[in-house]
Amino acid sequence: MKIYKTPFSRAYWQDALEDFRKPRTLVFSALMIAACTALSYIPSIPITDGTKVTWGFLARALCGLVGGPINALVFGLAEDTISFLIHPSGPYFPGYALTTMIGTMIYALFLYRTRVTVLRVFLAKLCTNILNVVLGSLWSAVLYSKGYLYYVFASLLKNSIMLPVQTIMLLVLFAALLPVLGRMGVLPKEMGSRLHLWQRKDD
C-alpha cells in the first residue's frame, strides 16, 4: 500500500476507488456504522450549557482513515440513514446526511493513505467543525424559526469549545488503534506504526 502527502494525484483517487471496492473495506464500514449506533447509546458528557461531548465522530473519523474519500461518501449516507431509522426524531431531512457524507470525506482527505500527524488530526477536526457551523446552521434555519446568523453564532461557540476536546479524543483513539489496524493489514505499514507529531521532510 502506498502513502501520499496530499490527495491531489490521480494515483491517490485510483487507490481510493480500489479500496472502496474491497469487501474488507465494506465490512469495516459496516462495523463503523454499528459502532456509531452503539456509541449513540453512551450518555453524552455536558461541558457547558448546550455543549456536550458525543462519540459518533470517532467512528466516522476512523472509517475515513481506513476506507478513503469515496467510501466515506457512501458510508456517510448509509450511517445517517440507518441512525435515523433506529432513532427517528421528526421527519427525515437529507441535509444532515449531506453533512455526514462531507464530514466523513474531510476526515478521509486528511488521514487516508498518509502519515497521521497531530497537525493533520487537528486540521481534519477544524474543517469538520467549520462544516458543522456552516451547514448545520443552514439546516437549522431551514427547519426552525430563527435566522441563519442566530444559529451560526450559537454553533460557532459550541464547535470552538469542542475543537480541542474532540481533537484530543481523536489523538488518543488513533494512538491506540493505528498499531492494531496496521497489524490487521488494513493500513499501510508506514501508517500503522504509530501516531506522529509532524510530517517528516523525506515522506
Side-chain angles (χ1 to χ4, degrees), residues 179-195:
V180 176
L181 294 172
R183 288 193 295 269
M184 291 172 59
V186 298
L187 295 178
K189 291 182 179 179
E190 296 89 338
M191 288 182 63
S193 57
R194 61 187 175 88
L195 179 70

Side-chain angles (χ1 to χ4, degrees), residues 22 77 129 170:
K22 292 179 179 177
L77 178 60
N129 283 23
L170 285 173

Side-chain angles (χ1 to χ4, degrees), residues 7 47-48 53 59 62 64 93-94 107 121 132 138 147 156 160 175 182 186 191:
I47 295 182
T48 64
V53 176
L62 202 57
F93 184 67
Y107 286 125
V121 173
N132 292 337
L138 177 60
L156 182 61
S160 297
V186 298
M191 288 182 63

Side-chain angles (χ1 to χ4, degrees), residues 61-135:
L62 202 57
C63 189
L65 178 143
V66 172
I70 298 175
N71 180 74
L73 294 174
V74 178
F75 165 86
L77 178 60
E79 189 268 313
D80 183 84
T81 303
I82 292 172
S83 296
F84 173 80
L85 293 175
I86 294 175
H87 297 293
S89 56
Y92 178 77
F93 184 67
Y96 293 129
L98 179 62
T99 302
T100 304
M101 292 166 67
I102 298 174
T104 310
M105 187 178 187
I106 288 172
Y107 286 125
L109 291 174
F110 277 98
L111 304 173
Y112 169 75
R113 291 290 191 102
T114 192
R115 192 177 297 275
V116 180
T117 66
V118 173
L119 179 60
R120 281 183 175 274
V121 173
F122 171 77
L123 291 176
K125 197 73 210 67
L126 174 64
C127 290
T128 56
N129 283 23
I130 291 173
L131 174 74
N132 292 337
V133 172
V134 175
L135 284 187

Side-chain angles (χ1 to χ4, degrees), residues 112-185:
Y112 169 75
R113 291 290 191 102
T114 192
R115 192 177 297 275
V116 180
T117 66
V118 173
L119 179 60
R120 281 183 175 274
V121 173
F122 171 77
L123 291 176
K125 197 73 210 67
L126 174 64
C127 290
T128 56
N129 283 23
I130 291 173
L131 174 74
N132 292 337
V133 172
V134 175
L135 284 187
S137 300
L138 177 60
W139 308 145
S140 295
V142 170
L143 293 171
Y144 306 112
S145 58
K146 295 178 181 177
Y148 178 70
L149 289 180
Y150 170 85
Y151 294 109
V152 165
F153 289 125
S155 183
L156 182 61
L157 176 61
K158 173 184 174 181
N159 280 276
S160 297
I161 294 172
M162 291 306 303
L163 177 60
V165 177
Q166 292 173 324
T167 300
I168 292 172
M169 291 171 67
L170 285 173
L171 291 173
V172 171
L173 177 73
F174 292 151
L177 291 187
L178 282 175
V180 176
L181 294 172
R183 288 193 295 269
M184 291 172 59

